[in-house]
Amino acid sequence: IRMPVIYSATAYVDTLTMNYGTTITTNNGFNIYGNLVDSGTISGSLPTSFVGSVAQYISGRGTIQSMKLINALGLTIASPMVAHDSLTVTGQLTLTTGTLNTNGGLILSMQDTTLDCGAMLMPVPSSGAGIAGNVTVMQYMGGGHRSFRIFGHPFTGSIPLSQLEVSPTDTVNGIDITGIGGIINGFSATVSNAPSAFWYNTLNGNSSLTTGSGDPGWHAITSCLGIPDSNMWHQYEGMRILVRGRKRHGLNTTLYTVDASAFRMYGQLNTGTITMPLIKGTAMVLGSPVQDYNNLANPYPAPVDLGAVVNRANLSGQLNGATFWVWNGLLGVSGGWDHQDETSLVSYVVPGNSSFQVRTAANGNTLTFYESDKATSIGHQVLKGGNDKISLNVYDASYHLYDYLYVKFDEAATDNEDSHYDGGKPVNPDLNFYSWSGDHRALCQDVRPYKEGAIIPLGLTTNMNQDYIIKADKYSVPAGGQVYLHDKFLNQYVVLEQGSEYKFSVTNESGSQGDTRFELGMRAAESVVNKANLKVLMLPNPASESVMISFTSPAKVSTSIRILTLDGITVISQDLGIQDNGNVSIPIEKLAAGVYMVEFISGGEKVVQRLVKE
């Protein structure tokens, strides 16, 4: 069998026949003027171009890495209904001139376990080129983590979820979807038949519900067969589906390895300018449901710069803020929302078949995608941008990320929710960590002015009682400022800096989670005294009944505290033993009002602060 490799020149051929198992590799492109009988593979990053002067045809069951159509009379894939002919494209498909008639035989293969696109339809001209007929789009998922994923599809119409299941005996090209009624309703059967696929209804939503069963906008799919219409996977709709791994795995309680999986779906592709309608429910006033989150999909079978789309819509008044959310299947146990901020105008490219959420400013507004928004590769970062904010991440004891909160200080913002700066908090199924704005809105991104002595209330809710860690993976505050974390449940203080960690537990005790356990406080830097690697924070100051002293030292050494009058007379003395960090409450209610000096000694280091007794 001949396996030619063309190194330096563009190859030209009239009609080409490739037998099963054959490969042609070209480094500078391949021009085909006649028909292609393809049961092999043409590889090479530069395109195989169909450039005939008469209508061209492809038959067989072959693969082309990168393909371009430059023929005004078009290119047709022979009907798979007769000969089971198909063409698989694994890279870029470019339509420059002419129509590609698929006859249902075109497969865009997205073989990448990171959800990155393999095959993608490049920007389609507004006239003179196009694609007709159904296209099969494949999506491959990496293994290792069983969680919900939120997908979109790139088709002009609705499809049933049965497309993703394929056949009960096909364990390669489908995933299991479960639901009420099991097999009767087209689902994979389990003992409980618990739903694993959900669609989002903005008009029933209320993302201010951060406890209990979560946002009521999510509704279970009741039939994989698409009956009734609410069970169809509609155009532009993001669908939340539990991915257990490859088919027939993870349907019972037996421990198993989550293997890579794949699914395929088919329909006519969206092309051209896409205008998505946005909906908003009840007018939002204090205490009313938050019903402006729209769960949408990348409309194209290609990566798109979602950052540019959102920024454009925000500037034109279509959105309630420049924040958008993409689903991260690695957050917590079931996945969670990653929030992104487009006020910095940073490009954020999402892959094909992905989904996202935005908030609309008004019912009837729109989100518009253009062919020019397509990108050739994925370039986004979940935590993008420089260190211009505080990023508080919540991990479990094994440092598995569950959720995170951004806090940024800007004098142009307010304590209330500002649509231009702040980001609302969609509800995660496992754990939610958020701040409360001045007008009582839960935020995942909180931008406000820095005010010495001010407090930012925090909320943390979870249905998983276990050990957690709050870590400041990013830390940036205005010059002269200092932020601390206060655990009001245990009366513990932590002075934050880059890498600071605070370990805590959520138990059955009511105060161990909710909206009253944590807060952030802002203090002037001089209220935190440092000497070498010893750091001491004393709060409150002034104080009337007691003062809390929080300290951190690089080594466990002998530690003690003394409170002295300005004349040097010791009025309180306490030996703390051998410690490297901790919190101690000193009662001072019996002291006379006035100014005192607090002396903190850790090994050979000593820091002194003034204390005002009221």
Side-chain angles (χ1 to χ4, degrees):
I1 299 176
R2 296 184 181 273
M3 303 285 190
V5 178
I6 305 169
Y7 289 101
S8 59
T10 301
Y12 299 87
V13 68
D14 188 5
T15 294
L16 175 65
T17 299
M18 298 181 63
N19 294 326
Y20 178 78
T22 58
T23 300
I24 295 175
T25 303
T26 173
N27 293 332
N28 286 283
F30 199 14
N31 287 354
I32 299 177
Y33 289 85
N35 298 329
L36 173 64
V37 181
D38 183 9
S39 293
T41 299
I42 302 176
S43 64
S45 57
L46 292 181
T48 296
S49 299
F50 290 82
V51 294
S53 57
V54 298
Q56 293 175 271
Y57 295 85
I58 298 176
S59 59
R61 303 185 70 182
T63 299
I64 297 177
Q65 180 177 346
S66 182
M67 174 178 157
K68 180 182 288 188
L69 175 59
I70 315 175
N71 183 345
L73 297 179
L75 171 67
T76 299
I77 300 173
S79 174
M81 300 300 293
V82 177
H84 301 287
D85 294 335
S86 65
L87 172 67
T88 298
V89 176
T90 60
Q92 296 181 2
L93 172 61
T94 303
L95 306 177
T96 302
T97 306
T99 298
L100 174 59
N101 298 289
T102 70
N103 278 322
L106 176 64
I107 301 171
L108 298 182
S109 180
M110 299 183 178
Q111 303 184 43
D112 191 302
T113 58
T114 64
L115 274 181
D116 197 350
C117 291
M120 60 188 76
L121 179 60
M122 301 305 292
V124 179
S126 58
S127 63
I131 186 168
N134 285 343
V135 176
T136 297
V137 174
M138 300 183 67
Q139 181 64 63
Y140 285 73
M141 292 297 305
H145 193 67
R146 169 186 170 131
S147 69
F148 281 103
R149 307 298 170 103
I150 300 188
F151 300 112
H153 69 69
F155 305 127
T156 60
S158 302
I159 64 174
L161 289 180
S162 58
Q163 286 193 10
L164 278 62
E165 287 196 311
V166 192
S167 163
T169 60
D170 188 339
T171 60
V172 178
N173 293 314
I175 60 175
D176 286 300
I177 301 176
T178 59
I180 302 298
I183 295 175
I184 295 175
N185 291 320
F187 297 112
S188 298
T190 65
V191 174
S192 65
N193 285 331
S196 69
F198 300 82
W199 66 283
Y200 189 75
N201 186 346
T202 299
L203 299 181
N204 297 139
N206 185 4
S207 65
S208 65
L209 296 178
T210 55
T211 58
S213 59
D215 192 337
W218 289 105
H219 296 265
I221 293 293
T222 60
S223 171
C224 256
L225 305 177
I227 304 171
D229 181 66
S230 60
N231 292 316
M232 294 292 284
W233 190 0
H234 299 295
Q235 186 184 29
Y236 313 143
E237 181 179 33
M239 189 72 67
R240 193 180 83 182
I241 302 172
L242 179 64
V243 177
R244 300 174 170 91
R246 62 188 173 96
K247 201 165 179 66
R248 314 310 301 168
H249 277 216
L251 291 177
N252 52 43
T253 57
T254 304
L255 293 177
Y256 73 106
T257 300
V258 180
D259 296 325
S261 57
F263 64 81
R264 62 179 65 195
M265 48 193 176
Y266 54 89
Q268 296 190 29
L269 296 179
N270 293 314
T271 59
T273 299
I274 302 295
T275 301
M276 295 183 181
L278 302 175
I279 59 176
K280 181 175 181 176
T282 306
M284 291 188 298
V285 296
L286 186 63
S288 69
V290 179
Q291 295 178 337
D292 59 359
Y293 285 87
N294 284 246
N295 198 64
L296 303 170
N298 175 358
Y300 299 126
V304 297
D305 188 349
L306 182 59
V309 174
V310 169
N311 181 64
R312 193 166 58 229
N314 180 55
L315 292 177
S316 63
Q318 301 298 304
L319 299 181
N320 181 4
T323 305
F324 63 92
W325 299 264
V326 291
W327 186 261
N328 184 346
L330 300 180
L331 283 178
V333 175
S334 304
W337 291 106
D338 271 336
H339 52 277
Q340 306 300 329
D341 169 27
E342 274 313 308
T343 57
S344 56
L345 307 183
V346 176
S347 175
Y348 191 100
V349 178
V350 297
N353 300 340
S354 61
S355 182
F356 60 93
Q357 283 195 353
V358 292
R359 297 176 67 184
T360 182
N363 191 45
N365 283 356
T366 57
L367 192 67
T368 302
F369 289 76
Y370 298 104
E371 289 279 352
S372 58
D373 291 321
K374 290 180 178 177
T376 58
S377 62
I378 305 300
H380 78 264
Q381 305 173 59
V382 173
L383 300 175
K384 65 186 174 92
N387 189 6
D388 61 349
K389 64 193 76 172
I390 298 174
S391 176
L392 294 177
N393 294 349
V394 180
Y395 300 89
D396 64 16
S398 300
Y399 288 90
H400 188 146
L401 183 63
Y402 273 67
D403 203 0
Y404 59 90
L405 167 68
Y406 287 163
V407 176
K408 184 176 179 179
F409 297 106
D410 190 326
E411 294 302 308
T414 71
D415 290 349
N416 292 337
E417 182 184 22
D418 303 306
S419 62
H420 183 66
Y421 295 100
D422 298 321
K425 174 61 180 171
V427 180
N428 296 329
D430 299 319
L431 183 144
N432 291 277
F433 186 46
Y434 48 93
S435 68
W436 285 108
S437 66
D439 53 352
H440 201 66
R441 293 295 185 189
L443 303 177
C444 65
Q445 175 166 290
D446 191 337
V447 184
R448 61 176 68 200
Y450 185 92
K451 301 175 184 177
E452 183 180 346
I455 295 297
I456 303 176
L458 305 181
L460 186 144
T461 60
T462 179
N463 55 18
M464 306 181 70
N465 293 352
Q466 59 184 21
D467 295 334
Y468 292 100
I469 301 168
I470 296 176
K471 183 178 179 182
D473 282 313
K474 291 185 179 181
Y475 182 79
S476 177
V477 298
Q482 179 69 55
V483 173
Y484 62 89
L485 176 69
H486 182 198
D487 181 346
K488 296 185 289 183
F489 180 60
L490 299 178
N491 200 24
Q492 302 285 305
Y493 292 86
V494 177
V495 180
L496 295 182
E497 58 184 4
Q498 187 87 12
S500 295
E501 294 186 5
Y502 179 70
K503 298 180 179 179
F504 66 100
S505 299
V506 173
T507 66
N508 289 327
E509 294 181 81
S510 60
S512 71
Q513 64 168 297
D515 294 331
T516 60
R517 176 161 189 175
F518 294 107
E519 63 183 13
L520 292 178
M522 290 168 261
R523 303 290 292 183
E526 59 264 25
S527 68
V528 183
V529 178
N530 302 285
K531 184 170 183 180
N533 293 316
L534 175 62
K535 178 175 291 186
V536 179
L537 171 67
M538 184 170 62
L539 292 168
N541 190 8
S544 57
E545 296 183 357
S546 65
V547 62
M548 173 67 69
I549 298 177
S550 175
F551 62 94
T552 302
S553 175
K556 289 189 174 183
V557 292
S558 178
T559 305
S560 62
I561 295 174
R562 287 200 306 160
I563 298 181
L564 306 92
T565 67
L566 293 181
D567 296 328
I569 300 174
T570 300
V571 292
I572 294 178
S573 179
Q574 187 168 341
D575 186 357
L576 304 180
I578 307 297
Q579 297 204 41
D580 59 352
N581 65 81
N583 294 267
V584 59
S585 179
I586 307 295
I588 61 171
E589 71 272 9
K590 295 182 179 181
L591 296 181
V595 178
Y596 296 83
M597 303 305 295
V598 178
E599 184 180 81
F600 187 91
I601 301 173
S602 176
E605 295 187 338
K606 178 172 68 173
V607 298
V608 179
Q609 283 187 272
R610 288 198 338 151
L611 170 64
V612 177
K613 167 64 166 63
E614 293 180 327

